[in-house]
Amino acid sequence: MLSLLPVDRVITVVAVAYAVTILLVVAIILTVFPSLSPWQTLTVAFSGATALQLLVLLVLNVAWKWVWSAIPALNQLLFPNIEGKWKMVIHWQREDRSGQVTATAVIRQTLLKLSMEVFSEGSESETLVALPRRDQESGRPMLYYVYRVVPKADKSDAGHPYEGSALLKLADKNTLSGNYFTSQSTRGRFSLTRAGAK
């Protein structure tokens, strides 16, 4: 994921690559079609720029999954593809009570963003912040996750929406887990297993 790279360097590399590509397109057009007017040359160059822009948008939003599967080293270099449905067990503690709840987590991921929604019998949650990172010492993929829980009125004793945060670590490509804390002074542990994983 691009958020793991220094933003100023990413912008610089993309801007330079974009400018060089446009200059190459203009140079090729002038070489192949010397009879074109400057206006016609710019029109063709900007048409090429538009096509390049559409290609970049396609890669950023859709084709990145294909790129990740075609180049497995990107899972180690940047961040693995964790998109999909996950089975989730929520181990919770509230004052002198504790228990566990099963839920389903749906992780959506593009090259630029990541979100996780959690659905259980008593509540649903939505992402406020999901920030992929790597542990500086081990390089292990981690997900900083800040969320809002909206209890279902007829199924929960929570009463009103509340916020929570968790640090989830990827043990392998099919297992995420970590501790969480909420604004209701509850705490616990999330354990996620990719749906369909054996």
Side-chain angles (χ1 to χ4, degrees):
M1 308 252 324
L2 292 181
S3 63
L4 296 172
L5 301 173
V7 174
D8 57 340
R9 289 187 187 164
V10 171
I11 291 171
T12 301
V13 167
V14 169
V16 168
Y18 194 79
V20 166
T21 303
I22 297 305
L23 288 174
L24 286 173
V25 168
V26 168
I28 290 169
I29 291 170
L30 288 173
T31 303
V32 175
F33 305 104
S35 62
L36 288 179
S37 70
W39 179 253
Q40 291 171 318
T41 303
L42 283 176
T43 302
V44 173
F46 282 119
S47 297
T50 302
L52 180 62
Q53 186 83 21
L54 292 173
L55 179 65
V56 167
L57 287 173
L58 179 70
V59 168
L60 289 178
N61 291 302
V62 179
W64 75 272
K65 291 178 203 172
W66 178 83
V67 173
W68 248 244
S69 63
I71 308 170
L74 291 174
N75 288 301
Q76 297 300 318
L77 182 64
L78 295 176
F79 196 81
N81 179 3
I82 60 172
E83 182 173 76
K85 192 179 256 190
W86 295 71
K87 292 183 262 181
M88 184 175 194
V89 178
I90 304 168
H91 304 274
W92 58 270
Q93 283 185 302
R94 178 179 293 162
E95 297 170 359
D96 60 345
R97 298 181 302 154
S98 64
Q100 75 178 35
V101 174
T102 58
T104 300
V106 177
I107 298 176
R108 291 183 177 85
Q109 182 178 354
T110 69
L111 197 56
L112 299 176
K113 62 185 175 180
L114 192 143
S115 70
M116 182 166 81
E117 294 178 296
V118 177
F119 304 94
S120 73
E121 183 180 344
S123 65
E124 293 182 3
S125 75
E126 56 195 28
T127 301
L128 299 177
V129 176
L131 189 60
R133 288 285 182 254
R134 285 201 174 268
D135 183 277
Q136 290 186 355
E137 297 299 320
S138 69
R140 184 177 180 187
M142 305 182 308
L143 179 62
Y144 290 94
Y145 174 53
V146 181
Y147 57 94
R148 176 177 294 119
V149 175
V150 180
K152 295 177 183 173
D154 59 339
K155 303 268 186 177
S156 174
D157 63 352
H160 55 82
Y162 59 93
E163 288 73 36
S165 63
L167 174 57
L168 302 173
K169 295 184 178 184
L170 198 64
D172 58 52
K173 68 179 184 174
N174 295 317
T175 309
L176 266 171
S177 62
N179 295 332
Y180 74 88
F181 304 89
T182 73
S183 60
Q184 288 196 329
S185 300
T186 58
R187 63 187 185 279
R189 184 163 184 82
F190 293 147
S191 299
L192 293 89
T193 305
R194 194 182 296 267
K198 295 179 182 177

Coordinates of all heavy atoms in Angstrom, one line a residue, residues 118-168:
V118 N -17.5 -4.5 10.7 CA -17.7 -5.7 11.5 C -19.2 -5.9 11.8 O -19.9 -4.9 12.2 CB -16.9 -5.7 12.8 CG1 -17.2 -6.9 13.7 CG2 -15.4 -5.6 12.5
F119 N -19.7 -7.1 11.5 CA -21.1 -7.3 11.7 C -21.3 -8.5 12.7 O -20.8 -9.6 12.5 CB -21.8 -7.7 10.4 CG -21.6 -6.7 9.3 CD1 -20.5 -6.9 8.4 CD2 -22.4 -5.6 9.2 CE1 -20.3 -5.9 7.4 CE2 -22.3 -4.7 8.2 CZ -21.2 -4.9 7.3
S120 N -22.0 -8.2 13.8 CA -22.3 -9.2 14.8 C -23.8 -9.2 15.1 O -24.5 -8.3 14.6 CB -21.5 -9.0 16.1 OG -22.0 -7.9 16.8
E121 N -24.2 -10.1 15.9 CA -25.7 -10.2 16.3 C -26.1 -8.9 17.0 O -27.2 -8.4 16.8 CB -25.9 -11.4 17.1 CG -27.4 -11.6 17.4 CD -27.7 -12.8 18.3 OE1 -26.8 -13.7 18.4 OE2 -28.8 -12.8 18.9
G122 N -25.2 -8.3 17.8 CA -25.6 -7.2 18.6 C -25.2 -5.8 18.1 O -25.6 -4.8 18.6
S123 N -24.4 -5.8 17.1 CA -23.9 -4.5 16.6 C -23.2 -4.5 15.3 O -23.0 -5.6 14.7 CB -22.9 -3.9 17.6 OG -21.7 -4.7 17.6
E124 N -23.0 -3.4 14.7 CA -22.2 -3.2 13.5 C -21.2 -2.1 13.7 O -21.4 -1.2 14.5 CB -23.1 -2.8 12.3 CG -24.1 -3.9 11.9 CD -25.0 -3.5 10.7 OE1 -24.7 -2.4 10.2 OE2 -25.8 -4.3 10.4
S125 N -20.0 -2.2 13.1 CA -19.0 -1.2 13.3 C -18.6 -0.7 11.9 O -18.7 -1.3 10.9 CB -17.8 -1.7 14.0 OG -17.0 -2.5 13.2
E126 N -18.1 0.6 11.9 CA -17.6 1.2 10.7 C -16.2 1.8 11.0 O -15.9 2.1 12.1 CB -18.6 2.3 10.3 CG -18.8 3.3 11.4 CD -20.0 4.2 11.2 OE1 -21.0 3.8 10.5 OE2 -20.0 5.4 11.7
T127 N -15.4 1.9 10.0 CA -14.1 2.3 10.1 C -14.0 3.8 10.2 O -14.6 4.5 9.4 CB -13.3 1.9 8.8 OG1 -13.3 0.5 8.7 CG2 -11.8 2.3 8.9
L128 N -13.2 4.3 11.2 CA -12.9 5.7 11.2 C -11.5 5.9 10.7 O -11.3 6.8 9.9 CB -13.0 6.2 12.7 CG -14.3 6.1 13.4 CD1 -14.3 6.6 14.8 CD2 -15.4 6.9 12.6
V129 N -10.6 5.0 11.0 CA -9.2 5.1 10.5 C -8.7 3.6 10.4 O -8.9 2.9 11.3 CB -8.2 5.9 11.4 CG1 -6.8 5.8 10.9 CG2 -8.7 7.3 11.6
A130 N -8.1 3.3 9.3 CA -7.5 2.0 9.1 C -6.1 2.3 8.5 O -6.1 2.7 7.3 CB -8.3 1.0 8.3
L131 N -5.1 2.1 9.2 CA -3.7 2.5 8.7 C -2.8 1.3 8.7 O -2.4 0.8 9.8 CB -3.2 3.6 9.7 CG -1.9 4.3 9.3 CD1 -2.1 5.0 8.0 CD2 -1.6 5.3 10.4
P132 N -2.4 0.9 7.5 CA -1.5 -0.3 7.4 C -0.1 0.2 7.7 O 0.3 1.2 7.2 CB -1.7 -0.8 6.0 CG -2.1 0.4 5.2 CD -2.9 1.3 6.2
R133 N 0.6 -0.6 8.4 CA 2.0 -0.3 8.8 C 2.8 -1.6 8.9 O 2.3 -2.7 8.9 CB 2.2 0.4 10.1 CG 1.7 1.9 10.1 CD 2.7 2.7 9.3 NE 2.3 4.1 9.3 CZ 1.9 4.7 8.2 NH1 1.7 4.1 7.1 NH2 1.6 6.0 8.2
R134 N 4.1 -1.5 9.0 CA 5.0 -2.6 9.2 C 5.7 -2.4 10.5 O 6.2 -1.2 10.7 CB 6.0 -2.9 8.1 CG 5.3 -3.5 6.9 CD 6.3 -4.2 6.0 NE 5.7 -4.9 4.9 CZ 5.3 -6.2 5.0 NH1 5.6 -6.9 6.1 NH2 4.7 -6.8 4.0
D135 N 5.9 -3.4 11.4 CA 6.7 -3.2 12.6 C 8.1 -2.8 12.2 O 8.7 -3.5 11.3 CB 6.7 -4.5 13.3 CG 7.4 -4.4 14.7 OD1 8.7 -4.6 14.6 OD2 6.8 -4.2 15.7
Q136 N 8.6 -1.8 12.8 CA 10.0 -1.3 12.4 C 11.1 -2.3 12.7 O 12.1 -2.3 12.0 CB 10.3 0.0 13.2 CG 9.4 1.1 12.6 CD 9.8 2.5 13.3 OE1 10.6 2.6 14.1 NE2 9.1 3.5 12.8
E137 N 10.9 -3.1 13.7 CA 11.9 -4.1 14.0 C 11.8 -5.4 13.2 O 12.7 -5.9 12.6 CB 11.9 -4.4 15.5 CG 12.2 -3.3 16.4 CD 13.6 -2.7 16.2 OE1 14.5 -3.4 16.0 OE2 13.7 -1.4 16.2
S138 N 10.6 -6.0 13.2 CA 10.4 -7.3 12.6 C 9.9 -7.2 11.1 O 10.0 -8.2 10.4 CB 9.4 -8.1 13.4 OG 8.1 -7.6 13.3
G139 N 9.3 -6.1 10.7 CA 8.7 -6.0 9.4 C 7.4 -6.6 9.3 O 6.8 -6.7 8.2
R140 N 6.8 -7.1 10.4 CA 5.5 -7.8 10.4 C 4.4 -6.8 10.1 O 4.4 -5.7 10.6 CB 5.3 -8.4 11.8 CG 4.1 -9.2 11.9 CD 4.0 -9.7 13.4 NE 2.8 -10.5 13.6 CZ 2.5 -11.0 14.7 NH1 3.2 -10.8 15.8 NH2 1.4 -11.7 14.9
P141 N 3.5 -7.2 9.2 CA 2.4 -6.3 8.8 C 1.4 -6.1 10.0 O 1.1 -7.0 10.7 CB 1.6 -7.0 7.7 CG 2.6 -8.0 7.2 CD 3.5 -8.4 8.4
M142 N 1.0 -4.8 10.2 CA 0.1 -4.4 11.3 C -0.9 -3.5 10.8 O -0.7 -2.8 9.8 CB 0.9 -3.7 12.4 CG 2.1 -4.4 13.0 SD 2.9 -3.5 14.4 CE 3.2 -1.9 13.6
L143 N -2.1 -3.5 11.4 CA -3.2 -2.6 11.0 C -3.6 -1.8 12.3 O -4.1 -2.4 13.2 CB -4.3 -3.4 10.4 CG -5.5 -2.6 10.0 CD1 -5.2 -1.7 8.9 CD2 -6.7 -3.6 9.6
Y144 N -3.4 -0.5 12.2 CA -4.0 0.4 13.2 C -5.4 0.6 12.8 O -5.7 1.1 11.8 CB -3.2 1.7 13.3 CG -1.8 1.5 13.9 CD1 -0.7 1.4 13.0 CD2 -1.6 1.6 15.3 CE1 0.5 1.2 13.5 CE2 -0.3 1.4 15.8 CZ 0.7 1.3 14.9 OH 2.0 1.1 15.4
Y145 N -6.4 0.3 13.7 CA -7.8 0.3 13.4 C -8.5 1.1 14.4 O -8.5 0.7 15.6 CB -8.3 -1.2 13.3 CG -9.7 -1.4 13.1 CD1 -10.4 -0.7 12.0 CD2 -10.5 -2.2 13.9 CE1 -11.8 -0.9 11.8 CE2 -11.8 -2.4 13.7 CZ -12.4 -1.8 12.6 OH -13.8 -2.0 12.4
V146 N -9.2 2.2 14.0 CA -10.0 3.0 14.9 C -11.4 2.9 14.3 O -11.6 3.1 13.1 CB -9.6 4.4 15.0 CG1 -10.5 5.2 15.9 CG2 -8.1 4.5 15.4
Y147 N -12.4 2.6 15.1 CA -13.8 2.3 14.6 C -14.9 2.9 15.5 O -14.6 3.2 16.7 CB -13.9 0.8 14.5 CG -13.7 0.0 15.8 CD1 -14.7 -0.3 16.7 CD2 -12.4 -0.3 16.2 CE1 -14.5 -0.9 17.9 CE2 -12.1 -1.0 17.4 CZ -13.2 -1.3 18.2 OH -13.0 -1.9 19.4
R148 N -16.1 2.9 15.0 CA -17.3 3.3 15.7 C -18.2 2.1 15.7 O -18.5 1.5 14.6 CB -18.0 4.5 15.1 CG -19.3 4.8 15.8 CD -20.0 6.1 15.3 NE -19.1 7.2 15.6 CZ -18.6 8.0 14.6 NH1 -18.8 7.8 13.3 NH2 -17.8 9.0 14.9
V149 N -18.7 1.7 16.9 CA -19.6 0.6 17.0 C -21.0 1.2 17.2 O -21.2 2.1 18.0 CB -19.3 -0.3 18.2 CG1 -20.4 -1.4 18.4 CG2 -18.0 -0.9 18.1
V150 N -22.0 0.7 16.4 CA -23.4 1.1 16.5 C -24.2 -0.1 16.9 O -24.4 -1.0 16.2 CB -23.9 1.6 15.1 CG1 -25.4 2.1 15.2 CG2 -23.0 2.8 14.6
P151 N -24.6 -0.1 18.2 CA -25.3 -1.2 18.8 C -26.7 -1.4 18.1 O -27.3 -0.3 17.8 CB -25.5 -0.9 20.3 CG -24.4 0.1 20.5 CD -24.3 0.9 19.3
K152 N -27.2 -2.6 18.0 CA -28.6 -2.8 17.5 C -29.4 -2.7 18.8 O -29.2 -3.4 19.8 CB -28.7 -4.2 16.9 CG -27.9 -4.3 15.6 CD -28.0 -5.7 15.0 CE -27.1 -5.8 13.8 NZ -27.0 -7.2 13.3
A153 N -30.4 -1.8 18.7 CA -31.2 -1.5 19.9 C -31.8 -2.7 20.6 O -31.9 -2.8 21.8 CB -32.4 -0.5 19.5
D154 N -32.3 -3.7 19.8 CA -32.9 -4.8 20.5 C -32.0 -6.0 20.8 O -32.4 -7.0 21.4 CB -34.0 -5.4 19.5 CG -33.5 -5.8 18.2 OD1 -32.4 -5.3 17.8 OD2 -34.1 -6.6 17.5
K155 N -30.7 -5.8 20.5 CA -29.8 -7.0 20.7 C -28.6 -6.7 21.6 O -27.7 -7.5 21.8 CB -29.2 -7.5 19.4 CG -30.3 -7.8 18.4 CD -30.6 -9.3 18.5 CE -31.6 -9.7 17.3 NZ -31.8 -11.0 17.3
S156 N -28.4 -5.4 22.1 CA -27.2 -5.1 22.8 C -27.5 -4.3 24.1 O -28.5 -3.5 24.1 CB -26.3 -4.2 21.9 OG -25.2 -3.7 22.6
D157 N -26.7 -4.4 25.1 CA -26.9 -3.6 26.3 C -26.0 -2.3 26.3 O -25.9 -1.6 27.2 CB -26.6 -4.4 27.6 CG -25.2 -4.9 27.6 OD1 -24.4 -4.7 26.6 OD2 -24.8 -5.5 28.7
A158 N -25.3 -2.1 25.2 CA -24.4 -0.9 25.1 C -25.1 0.4 25.1 O -24.6 1.4 25.5 CB -23.5 -1.1 23.8
G159 N -26.3 0.4 24.5 CA -27.1 1.7 24.6 C -26.9 2.6 23.4 O -27.8 2.9 22.7
H160 N -25.7 3.1 23.3 CA -25.5 4.1 22.2 C -24.1 3.9 21.6 O -23.3 3.1 22.1 CB -25.5 5.5 22.9 CG -24.5 5.7 24.0 ND1 -23.2 5.9 23.8 CD2 -24.7 5.6 25.4 CE1 -22.6 6.0 25.0 NE2 -23.5 5.8 26.0
P161 N -23.9 4.5 20.4 CA -22.6 4.3 19.7 C -21.4 4.6 20.5 O -21.5 5.5 21.4 CB -22.7 5.2 18.5 CG -24.2 5.4 18.3 CD -24.8 5.4 19.7
Y162 N -20.3 3.9 20.3 CA -19.0 4.2 21.0 C -17.9 3.9 20.1 O -18.0 3.3 19.0 CB -18.9 3.4 22.3 CG -19.0 1.9 22.1 CD1 -17.9 1.1 22.0 CD2 -20.2 1.3 22.1 CE1 -17.9 -0.2 21.8 CE2 -20.3 -0.1 22.0 CZ -19.2 -0.9 21.8 OH -19.2 -2.2 21.7
E163 N -16.7 4.4 20.4 CA -15.5 4.3 19.6 C -14.6 3.3 20.2 O -14.6 3.1 21.5 CB -14.8 5.6 19.4 CG -15.6 6.6 18.4 CD -16.8 7.2 19.1 OE1 -16.8 7.5 20.3 OE2 -17.8 7.3 18.3
G164 N -13.7 2.7 19.4 CA -12.7 1.8 19.9 C -11.5 1.9 19.0 O -11.5 2.4 17.9
S165 N -10.4 1.3 19.5 CA -9.2 1.2 18.7 C -8.5 -0.2 18.9 O -8.6 -0.7 20.0 CB -8.2 2.3 18.9 OG -7.8 2.3 20.3
A166 N -7.8 -0.6 17.9 CA -7.1 -1.9 18.0 C -5.8 -1.8 17.2 O -5.7 -1.1 16.2 CB -8.0 -3.0 17.5
L167 N -4.9 -2.6 17.6 CA -3.7 -2.9 16.8 C -3.7 -4.3 16.4 O -3.5 -5.2 17.3 CB -2.4 -2.5 17.6 CG -1.1 -2.9 16.9 CD1 -1.0 -2.2 15.6 CD2 0.1 -2.5 17.8
L168 N -4.0 -4.6 15.1 CA -4.1 -6.0 14.6 C -2.8 -6.3 13.9 O -2.3 -5.6 13.1 CB -5.3 -6.1 13.7 CG -6.6 -5.7 14.3 CD1 -7.7 -5.7 13.2 CD2 -7.0 -6.6 15.4

